[in-house]
Amino acid sequence: MSLSTIILAAGKGKRMHSEIPKVLHKLAGKPLLEHVVLTAASLDKNRQPVVVYGHQGERVKSALDYLNVTWVEQTEQLGTAHAVQQAISHLPKEGRVLILYGDVPLIETLTLKKFINETPLDALGIITAELPDPTGFGRIIRDSKNTIISIVEEKDANTKQRAITEINTGIYLVSASHLQKWLPQITNHNAQQEFYLTDLIALAVNEKIPVHSAQPDEYEEILGINDRLQLACLERFYQERFAKKLMLQGVTLLDPHRFDARGDISIAQDVVIDVNVILEGNVKIGKHCVIGPNTLLRNVILGEHVDIQTNSVLDGAEIGDHCTIGPFARIRPGTILSSKSHVGNFVEIKNSTVGIATKINHLSYIGDSEIGQYVNIGAGTITCNYDGVNKHKTTIGDHAFIGSNTELVAPVTVGEQATIGAGSTITRNAPAHQLTLCRGQQRSIANWQRPTKKEKEI
Ligand code: UD1
Ligand code: CA
């Protein structure tokens, strides 16, 4: 039986107090809506989820145009049933329809798979949850046989009904044909004068269609985000859940509460991560790496046995096995370090490749460069890559030795095994195997007198 998914995302999100549409706010580095779209896509890769958008819809659409979805506009937000009605013409007439919310980001693929498999084909499925505090949610009404008979919204509920702690998550599984039949029967005769999708339940019960309910393992999965406090709470829940998963897979987190993963992160076993480490975007960390405290890795691939020391920032880089980086290093996009290379404190590298076992240990700027293997870059070396208009390349051959405090004015090439004397400003190519240096001659003045201060100044 085919499955289509509708994601409702047209609500205003007033309580965020934000100029940014709610579903674009980020959780774990990704917009809320993207979490839900990816989960929906994981259920059936061949069918695009239908996203109902409305409030500031063009902004949502253009910010997320990389997502593989069918966008459907709901121009006026007249309620959840009205929202689903807008999507219906974009769905196949047969099969089943799963309804999700764009602001309920952490629903798990596994929970949904179980829900879909366990819901009989002829039944209406609903995910409910027991909440410690059910305030604000629709309450599940069951009869004496414990069968679900309806949902009452909080605003329409009496005191007895408000005491019920089983709530409607808003996630339903319904056959396309039932949906087509029932949606037109839903009215807006209620406290909010909205077309409530929750009325599906009573309509099913009325036709003696069984209502099947399922519950998530952890109720946080189904929590929606209405304000920034809830956003922060779910962010913490996400981080704790992810940290737990990593630790159970063989990653040591010295403090799982001081670790943040925001993106698509994969970490091999026996990696040790110290406190206050942030991983963003696409990050891949190989076996036995050690990540020091206060470190940011964004879109980075680390080989095995890489040692990233405290307070380093790596962005858009590929680091080979057994490299050592930091403390206080900054590695910028386009950097590729081959195995066993060393980058030390206060070194910045941008758009450069560095060969095997090359050392850049102190206070250097390397930009737009190609550096060979076994090169030693002395302290304070600067590649002058920018002439104010264009960027130019510096090339340094294998086994070259660059003395401290050298400026390499690009475009320039230093040959293999060349040595550059400390303090040189190199503006022309330095030949292989030779010593090149460019500095004033040292001289000493034998009878020179230091100036002295006048008496009253002492
Ligand atoms: C809804 C349910 C409630 C449930 C709760 C779970 C109804 C009537 N009530 O209430 O039983 O406990 O969700 O979180 O369905 N949306 C649209 N267009 C609209 C209205 C809403 O796209 O016209 C979208 C919103 O963007 C949101 C979702 O539907 O993603 C839910 O809407 P919201 O207004 O938050 O419903 P609740 O009052 O929370
Ligand atoms: Ca809501």
Side-chain angles (χ1 to χ4, degrees):
M1 171 94 57
S2 81
L3 179 79
S4 326
T5 311
I6 301 178
I7 300 170
L8 302 188
K12 282 203 184 63
K14 250 192 261 161
R15 281 173 283 170
M16 294 299 281
H17 297 288
S18 177
E19 289 180 354
I20 302 159
K22 176 162 78 177
V23 289
L24 291 183
H25 281 263
K26 287 181 179 171
L27 185 142
K30 265 186 209 151
L32 297 180
L33 181 56
E34 186 172 342
H35 284 272
V36 189
V37 168
L38 294 177
T39 304
S42 74
L43 297 171
D44 181 353
K45 295 203 165 45
N46 301 317
R47 197 181 293 277
Q48 288 192 343
V50 177
V51 175
V52 180
Y53 69 95
H55 186 68
Q56 296 195 342
E58 290 313 313
R59 267 186 86 174
V60 175
K61 247 173 91 173
S62 63
L64 299 178
D65 65 351
Y66 54 89
L67 292 178
N68 204 4
V69 301
T70 304
W71 296 97
V72 174
E73 191 177 3
Q74 182 194 24
T75 41
E76 263 186 299
Q77 279 73 63
L78 302 180
T80 41
H82 181 260
V84 172
Q85 180 83 62
Q86 313 308 302
I88 203 107
S89 64
H90 297 267
L91 302 175
K93 299 261 172 298
E94 315 269 289
R96 292 199 287 181
V97 183
L98 176 71
I99 297 165
L100 301 172
Y101 288 174
D103 57 0
V104 179
L106 297 185
I107 184 72
E108 288 262 319
T109 302
L110 266 178
T111 305
L112 292 175
K113 278 194 173 151
K114 205 165 147 249
F115 172 53
I116 294 162
N117 291 336
E118 288 175 0
T119 303
L121 291 180
D122 62 340
L124 169 66
I126 176 171
I127 299 187
T128 72
E130 285 284 343
L131 292 192
D133 175 12
T135 309
F137 288 89
R139 308 297 206 282
I140 302 293
I141 312 292
R142 291 177 184 263
D143 66 9
S144 54
K145 291 186 207 121
N146 209 31
T147 309
I148 297 180
I149 50 171
S150 66
I151 298 172
V152 178
E153 289 305 289
E154 177 155 288
K155 287 195 176 120
D156 301 294
N158 59 36
T159 321
K160 218 175 133 199
Q161 290 167 330
R162 282 185 195 196
I164 296 170
T165 49
E166 186 184 11
I167 61 93
N168 170 30
T169 65
I171 297 171
Y172 313 92
L173 182 65
V174 52
S175 78
S177 57
H178 281 145
L179 202 55
Q180 284 150 25
K181 184 167 159 203
W182 291 334
L183 281 177
Q185 297 179 38
I186 293 176
T187 66
N188 62 354
H189 304 151
N190 51 53
Q192 301 186 83
Q193 297 189 332
E194 280 183 11
F195 295 90
Y196 287 170
L197 194 56
T198 48
D199 288 357
L200 287 182
I201 306 293
L203 287 163
V205 170
N206 200 32
E207 289 190 25
K208 305 220 165 14
I209 303 290
V211 177
H212 173 86
S213 70
Q215 284 73 38
D217 287 340
E218 292 171 299
Y219 71 80
E220 286 90 344
E221 267 185 53
I222 59 82
L223 292 182
I225 288 168
N226 297 306
D227 58 35
R228 296 187 202 232
L229 193 64
Q230 291 168 335
L231 180 62
C233 288
L234 278 198
E235 175 79 31
R236 280 306 102 208
F237 172 74
Y238 174 96
Q239 296 301 344
E240 273 176 36
R241 187 170 74 176
F242 189 71
K244 243 188 242 169
K245 190 173 122 192
L246 286 177
M247 291 185 288
L248 294 174
Q249 286 170 355
V251 175
T252 297
L253 297 177
L254 293 187
D255 182 356
H257 296 292
R258 284 182 288 168
F259 164 77
D260 286 83
R262 305 169 185 158
D264 297 314
I265 314 292
S266 106
I267 308 180
Q269 64 183 46
D270 294 316
V271 168
V272 177
I273 299 184
D274 212 322
V275 301
N276 296 332
V277 168
I278 298 176
L279 308 179
E280 276 183 7
N282 284 299
V283 175
K284 239 179 128 171
I285 301 180
K287 285 184 190 171
H288 300 285
C289 289
V290 177
I291 316 293
N294 306 323
T295 295
L296 170 67
L297 306 184
R298 179 188 299 130
N299 299 322
V300 165
I301 299 175
L302 303 186
E304 299 184 356
H305 295 276
V306 175
D307 185 8
I308 310 278
Q309 298 179 1
T310 180
N311 289 293
S312 294
V313 177
L314 283 74
D315 183 2
E318 236 184 280
I319 312 296
D321 299 345
H322 295 278
C323 284
T324 301
I325 295 178
F328 298 98
R330 180 175 181 209
I331 310 290
R332 293 171 51 199
T335 299
I336 299 175
L337 300 189
S338 307
S339 57
K340 294 182 195 152
S341 49
H342 285 217
V343 173
N345 43 213
F346 307 108
V347 171
E348 175 181 349
I349 305 182
K350 183 214 84 168
N351 189 34
S352 298
T353 55
V354 174
I356 296 169
T358 284
K359 294 191 171 103
I360 313 171
N361 273 335
H362 328 271
L363 302 147
S364 290
Y365 171 65
I366 304 296
D368 304 309
S369 302
E370 201 180 313
I371 302 180
Q373 49 189 13
Y374 300 97
V375 172
N376 190 35
I377 306 275
T381 296
I382 293 173
T383 56
C384 308
N385 59 329
Y386 186 48
D387 60 15
V389 182
N390 295 305
K391 302 274 168 73
H392 301 282
K393 186 173 170 182
T394 300
T395 306
I396 301 175
D398 296 347
H399 296 277
F401 182 98
I402 313 294
S404 296
N405 195 25
T406 292
E407 287 110 54
L408 299 162
V409 182
V412 71
T413 296
V414 175
E416 273 178 41
Q417 311 241 6
T419 301
I420 306 294
S424 295
T425 299
I426 302 295
T427 53
R428 283 175 286 134
N429 293 348
H433 301 280
Q434 297 181 24
L435 168 67
T436 300
L437 72 170
C438 174
R439 61 164 101 110
Q441 287 292 329
Q442 180 169 330
R443 61 193 176 118
S444 302
I445 299 166
N447 299 320
W448 180 77
Q449 287 279 318
R450 264 192 203 175
T452 50
K453 286 187 178 166
K454 289 193 193 113
E455 192 104 10
K456 62 179 182 203
E457 286 177 340
I458 295 172

